[in-house]
Amino acid sequence: MNVDLIIILPEIILLALACLVLMVDAFSKDPLHLLTYWTTQASLLVVMALVLFYFPYKAQVAFNGSFVSDYMSAILKVLMCGITSVVFLYSYEYLKEHKFLKGEYFVLGLFAVLGMMIMTSAYSLLSVYLGLELLSLSLYAMVAMQRESKAASEAAMKYFVLGAIASGMLLYGISIIYGLTGSLDLLTISERINVDNVSHMHLIYGMIFLIVGIAFKLGAAPFHMWVPDVYQGAPTSVTLFISTAPKLAAFAMAMRVLVDGLMPLVSDWQSILIILAVLSMATGNIIAIAQTNMKRMLAYSTIAHIGFFFLGFIAGTASGFSASMFYIISYELMTMGAFGMIILLGRNGLEADMLFDFKGLSQRSPWFAFVMLCIMFSMAGVPPFLGFWSKWFVLQELVASGFVEIAVIAVLFSIIGVYYYLRIIKLMYFDEPDSMTTIKTSKKMHFVLSINGILILVLGLAPNILMSLCLMALAG
Amino acid sequence: MIEQIVFYFFGGVLLLSASMVVIMRNPIHSALLLVLSFFASAAIWLLLQAEFLAITLVLVYVGAVMVLFLFVVMMLDINLVTVREGFTRFLPVGITVAVLMVAAMGLVVSSDYFMSDTYMVIKSIGPDYSNTKELGLILYTQYLYQFEIAGAILLVAIIAAISLSMSKSKVNKSISSEEQVIVKKTDRLRVIEMKAESNIQSKKI
C-alpha cells in the first residue's frame, strides 16, 4: 500500500493543495485575491516538481490496476501543469480587467487539473470515467461563473446538458464492455478480447458508444455542436482553459481506451475514426470561413484540428500516436497564444473578440502583430512554424500506413483552412485600425505571450526536440 | 414461479411509469411517476437479493432527490406551453433515433451471447449474509481509489454550487443592528451651501 501511495503522490498532494487554496481564499479578505492566485501557481509548480522527482522510469501500476504511472502520463502531467499555470496567468489579468475575480475560479481550475491527471493515469474504465467527470464538472462551473452574462449562462447550460449526454453514452459503452469481458481493467479487457469466445459484434457495439463519448469530449464532428457556442459564450479565460489542457487529457483518454484497452479492435475503430476525422476537417474548415467572431472562428478551427489529430490514431502505429501527441501539444501552444491575444486586446469589461478588433494591429503594436502572425501562420501550417511540422508528421505516418487518399483529403481541407487564418493577417497588416488606443498590458503577460509566440517559431525550426519527447512518451 | 410473476409485475410497472414520465403533460405527474419507477426498480433489486441497493435507492432518490425535485418544480412555475413547443416538430427525429436504438439494442441483447442460460442462477443466500458489509469491504479495499475520486467530485459539486449561487453583495438587504445603534448625525446628513437661484422664471420646468 505504501508503494501505491508514493506512485499517486502528485495527485494526493494536488488534492491537498487545492483544498488549501480553497481555505486560503475563504479566509483572505483581499479583493485582488493575490494570495489565492500565488498559492495556486505554487501548487502547480509543486505538483510539477513532484511528477519530475518521482519520474517513472518503468510503468508502475497501483490500486489493483486502476492507476498507472508511465512515461506518457508523467510527460503529459508536467505539460498540463505548465500549460495551466500559463492559462492562470492570462486568466488573472483577464478576470481583473473584467472585474469578476473570484477565488473559486482557481480552486475549480486546480480540481480540473486533478481530473485531467486522473484521466491521464487511468488504467481502468471506472477511473477514466471518474476523472472525466471531475474535469467536466469543474469546467461547467467555470463557464457559468460570469453570472451577469446571459451568453455565459447559456453556454454553461448547453455544455452541461450535452456533456451529460456524452457521459451517458460513455457509461453505456463502459457497461456493455464490462458485460462482455467481465472487467473494467483496461489490460484485462484487451487480454479477454483476444480470446475468441467474446462476440466481436457486441464488442463493436460497446466500442462505438465509447468512441462517441470521446468524440463528444474532444469536440469532433458530428458531435461538435457544443463547441462554437461554449467557446463564444464562455469568458475568454475559460475558453482558453477549455481549449488547452483538457485536450491533452482527452488525448490521454483516447490513448488509454483505444490503444491500451481496445487495441485488438484496431481495424474497427480505425474506420470509425476516419469518418470522424474527415467530417471534422470538413465542418471545421468550411464553417470557420463564415465567422465574424474570433472566438467562434477559433472554435471551428479547433474542430478542424481535432480532425487532423485523429489522423495519427488512424495510422494505428506507435509513431502515429506520437505524431498525434505532437499535434495536440503544438495545437495547445498555438491556441494558447491566440486566446491570449484576445485577452490582451480586451479592455474594461469589453471583449475584443470580433475579427475587426484585429484591424491594423501592426500599427498599434508591431510586436504583438508579429506574435499573432506567427500563431496564425502556424495554425495554417506554413513552414517553418510549428504547425507545419505537426501536420507533416501526422500525414507522414498516415501515408506510411497506406491511407494515401485520407492524407490527400486532409491536405485539401487544410488548404481551405489557410484562407481564414490569412484573413486575420491581412486585417492586421493591410487594414487601417478603427482606433489607435495603445495596448496596455502587464509586463508578465507581455513577456509570456512573447515567449509563447517565439516558442512556436523556435520549435518550428527544431521540431525534433518536441518529437523525441513524444516518441519517448509512447515508447516507455 | 412466484419470483417470475413478481419480476414481470415490477418490470411492467417500471416500463410503464418510465414511459409515462416522458409523456405526461404535467411536470408534477412526471415527477411522481418517476418516484413510482424508482420504487419498481428497488423491488427488482430486492429480487436480486441486493437489499442495500434497494433501500438506498428508495432513501436517496425517493426520499431526498425527488422531494427536492418536486419542490423546485412547484417553485419555478414552469410554463407548460413553452415546454411543449417543438414537441411535434422534433417527434419524427426522436422516434427515428429511438427506433434505431431499440433495434440495435434488441439485436445485441437478443443474441445468444446474452441468453439467460449463460448466466448463473442467483443462489439464495442466508439471512446472516450482509450485503452492506460486503459492499463496504470492496469499496474500501479494491475500489478505494475510485471511492476517493468520487469524494473529490462531490467536493467540486459543493464548491461549484456555492460559488454559483452565493452573492455577498447588493442582494442582501439585511441591516446590521450594531451599525444602526452607533450611527451619528454626521454620518448621514450633509449640509451643502448653495447659491440661491436668481432667475427662476427663465428656467423651464
Side-chain angles (χ1 to χ4, degrees):
Chain A
M1 205 62 203
N2 274 333
V3 183
D4 281 8
L5 287 183
I6 287 175
I7 296 172
I8 69 157
L9 195 64
E11 278 81 3
I12 296 178
I13 298 291
L14 179 57
L15 179 60
L17 285 172
C19 294
L20 177 79
V21 173
L22 185 65
M23 281 292 115
V24 164
D25 186 61
F27 285 104
S28 88
K29 293 206 163 57
D30 180 13
L32 284 177
H33 296 275
L34 270 174
L35 190 59
T36 316
Y37 171 68
W38 285 113
T39 343
T40 312
Q41 292 287 24
S43 310
L44 286 170
L45 207 68
V46 167
V47 173
M48 209 188 326
L50 271 175
V51 176
L52 285 175
F53 187 73
Y54 289 104
F55 198 85
Y57 290 102
K58 63 181 189 2
Q60 294 162 310
V61 178
F63 288 101
N64 304 308
S66 42
F67 184 94
V68 66
S69 176
D70 53 9
Y71 272 58
M72 185 183 91
S73 71
I75 291 174
L76 283 177
K77 280 175 195 172
V78 170
L79 283 173
M80 279 167 190
C81 290
I83 287 172
T84 310
S85 169
V86 176
V87 166
F88 280 170
L89 191 143
Y90 290 167
S91 301
Y92 187 77
E93 303 290 325
Y94 176 85
L95 297 176
K96 207 165 68 179
E97 187 69 37
H98 293 257
K99 298 191 179 60
F100 71 107
L101 202 55
K102 273 187 176 181
E104 288 91 353
Y105 184 93
F106 300 107
V107 180
L108 288 172
L110 282 183
F111 274 107
V113 175
L114 180 64
M116 290 178 225
M117 287 171 70
I118 288 167
M119 279 166 81
T120 314
S121 277
Y123 229 23
S124 103
L125 287 174
L126 201 55
S127 342
V128 170
Y129 173 72
L130 286 169
L132 181 65
E133 281 305 286
L134 185 56
L135 167 65
S136 311
L137 201 59
S138 316
L139 291 183
Y140 303 146
M142 285 169 89
V143 173
M145 204 157 257
Q146 195 180 19
R147 282 189 308 174
E148 296 79 27
S149 156
K150 228 177 160 181
S153 310
E154 189 191 326
M157 267 324 277
K158 280 182 182 159
Y159 194 24
F160 181 70
V161 171
L162 288 175
I165 293 175
S167 301
M169 293 279 185
L170 195 72
L171 270 184
Y172 195 53
I174 290 175
S175 68
I176 291 169
I177 298 278
Y178 177 68
L180 291 167
T181 58
S183 174
L184 286 168
D185 200 24
L186 285 168
L187 282 189
T188 324
I189 288 173
S190 98
E191 275 164 23
R192 293 203 183 148
I193 290 175
N194 282 323
V195 183
D196 280 326
N197 64 5
V198 176
S199 151
H200 190 68
M201 185 186 81
H202 297 120
L203 278 172
I204 293 178
Y205 183 69
M207 184 189 73
I208 288 174
F209 281 97
L210 284 181
I211 293 182
V212 167
I214 295 172
F216 242 120
K217 294 293 172 190
L218 273 167
F223 308 104
H224 65 283
M225 293 79 80
W226 61 273
V227 181
D229 289 337
V230 172
Y231 272 44
Q232 189 183 1
T236 309
S237 67
V238 181
T239 314
L240 168 70
F241 189 47
I242 292 179
S243 62
T244 49
K247 293 281 187 275
L248 281 180
F251 163 76
M253 178 176 154
M255 278 303 292
R256 296 288 180 212
V257 173
L258 294 180
V259 179
D260 288 347
L262 300 175
M263 199 56 189
L265 300 174
V266 58
S267 58
D268 300 301
W269 55 252
Q270 262 174 342
S271 47
I272 300 175
L273 288 189
I274 287 176
I275 302 173
L276 289 177
V278 172
L279 275 178
S280 303
M281 287 187 292
T283 19
N285 280 322
I286 292 171
I287 302 181
I289 294 174
Q291 304 307 319
T292 51
N293 184 298
M294 187 73 183
K295 276 155 86 182
R296 213 173 167 82
M297 194 201 89
L298 285 174
Y300 281 105
S301 124
T302 303
I303 297 169
H305 281 298
I306 292 299
F308 238 98
F309 156 75
F310 272 145
L311 296 180
F313 276 87
I314 293 168
T317 55
S319 46
F321 304 142
S322 42
S324 269
M325 187 173 167
F326 184 94
Y327 198 95
I328 208 81
I329 293 172
S330 49
Y331 161 77
E332 311 262 286
L333 278 176
M334 298 183 281
T335 195
M336 207 152 66
F339 282 111
M341 287 300 296
I342 300 179
I343 291 178
L344 183 85
L345 294 181
R347 184 135 316 284
N348 292 333
L350 285 175
E351 299 261 16
D353 59 353
M354 300 305 283
L355 286 188
F356 57 72
D357 287 316
F358 283 83
K359 262 185 174 174
L361 188 66
S362 64
Q363 292 171 41
R364 291 168 65 194
S365 163
W367 171 244
F368 283 123
F370 174 72
V371 170
M372 193 64 179
L373 175 104
C374 289
I375 295 164
M376 285 295 128
F377 268 144
S378 176
M379 279 200 171
V382 176
F385 296 98
L386 186 59
F388 167 75
W389 293 107
S390 60
K391 285 192 166 61
W392 171 262
F393 286 131
V394 166
L395 289 175
Q396 197 182 30
E397 292 306 323
L398 199 62
V399 172
S401 299
F403 294 94
V404 181
E405 61 283 6
I406 313 281
V408 172
I409 296 174
V411 170
L412 281 179
F413 279 123
S414 67
I415 291 171
I416 296 176
V418 169
Y419 167 74
Y420 58 84
Y421 297 123
L422 288 186
R423 186 171 55 183
I424 305 282
I425 294 171
K426 182 228 158 204
L427 282 173
M428 289 190 307
Y429 281 91
F430 300 105
D431 282 16
E432 288 300 314
D434 291 337
S435 73
M436 280 300 282
T437 42
T438 47
I439 295 164
K440 277 188 296 178
T441 171
S442 73
K443 283 225 171 57
K444 268 180 295 184
M445 180 124 181
H446 188 113
F447 181 69
V448 175
L449 200 57
S450 307
I451 295 274
N452 196 334
I454 292 168
L455 209 57
I456 290 172
L457 187 59
V458 170
L459 282 177
L461 292 172
N464 285 330
I465 305 170
L466 190 54
M467 194 60 201
S468 56
L469 191 76
C470 295
L471 282 172
M472 189 179 95
L474 295 181
Chain B
M1 184 59 201
I2 195 129
E3 264 183 31
Q4 277 193 338
I5 295 172
V6 175
F7 173 77
Y8 281 113
F9 174 72
F10 281 111
V13 170
L14 175 58
L15 279 180
L16 201 70
S17 56
S19 37
M20 292 293 268
V21 172
V22 187
I23 296 167
M24 274 304 187
R25 279 180 175 273
N26 191 331
I28 304 279
H29 292 171
S30 292
L32 288 174
L33 280 161
L34 197 57
V35 171
L36 181 62
S37 62
F38 282 142
F39 265 115
S41 34
I44 293 175
W45 276 125
L46 273 183
L47 272 182
L48 291 169
Q49 304 180 10
E51 67 277 352
F52 179 75
L53 291 176
I55 293 168
T56 322
L57 192 66
V58 172
L59 279 183
V60 175
Y61 279 89
V62 178
V65 176
M66 284 318 293
V67 172
L68 203 68
F69 196 81
L70 273 177
F71 266 122
V72 173
V73 169
M74 291 179 191
M75 274 162 71
L76 283 184
D77 188 25
I78 297 161
N79 188 355
L80 290 176
V81 183
T82 48
V83 173
R84 289 281 133 188
E85 222 169 64
F87 185 75
T88 43
R89 192 153 56 93
F90 297 122
L91 198 61
V93 185
I95 286 180
T96 320
V97 172
V99 167
L100 277 177
M101 289 281 280
V102 169
M105 272 181 75
L107 213 68
V108 168
V109 176
S110 68
S111 66
D112 293 345
Y113 199 78
F114 279 106
M115 286 311 256
S116 52
D117 52 343
T118 55
Y119 290 94
M120 53 181 177
V121 183
I122 300 149
K123 284 184 297 206
S124 74
I125 36 181
D128 53 338
Y129 181 88
S130 168
N131 226 306
T132 319
K133 192 178 155 193
E134 292 299 313
L135 269 176
L137 267 179
I138 201 167
L139 211 54
Y140 287 107
T141 53
Q142 197 183 347
Y143 292 109
L144 176 70
Y145 177 57
Q146 282 88 347
F147 185 71
E148 294 296 331
I149 304 172
I153 292 178
L154 287 180
L155 180 60
V156 168
I158 296 171
I159 299 169
I162 292 176
S163 78
L164 290 183
S165 56
M166 192 185 71
S167 60
K168 281 178 200 156
S169 54
K170 296 120 202 166
V171 187
N172 192 340
K173 289 202 170 108
S174 65
I175 300 159
S176 155
S177 47
E178 305 100 85
E179 283 178 25
Q180 287 286 297
V181 172
I182 58 169
V183 79
K184 289 190 200 73
K185 192 178 90 180
T186 48
D187 295 341
R188 298 284 165 89
L189 204 68
R190 204 148 51 100
V191 181
I192 304 167
E193 294 222 9
M194 278 177 86
K195 256 200 277 175
E197 200 78 51
S198 54
N199 195 355
I200 297 171
Q201 297 298 327
S202 67
K203 202 180 177 188
K204 276 188 184 148
I205 301 160

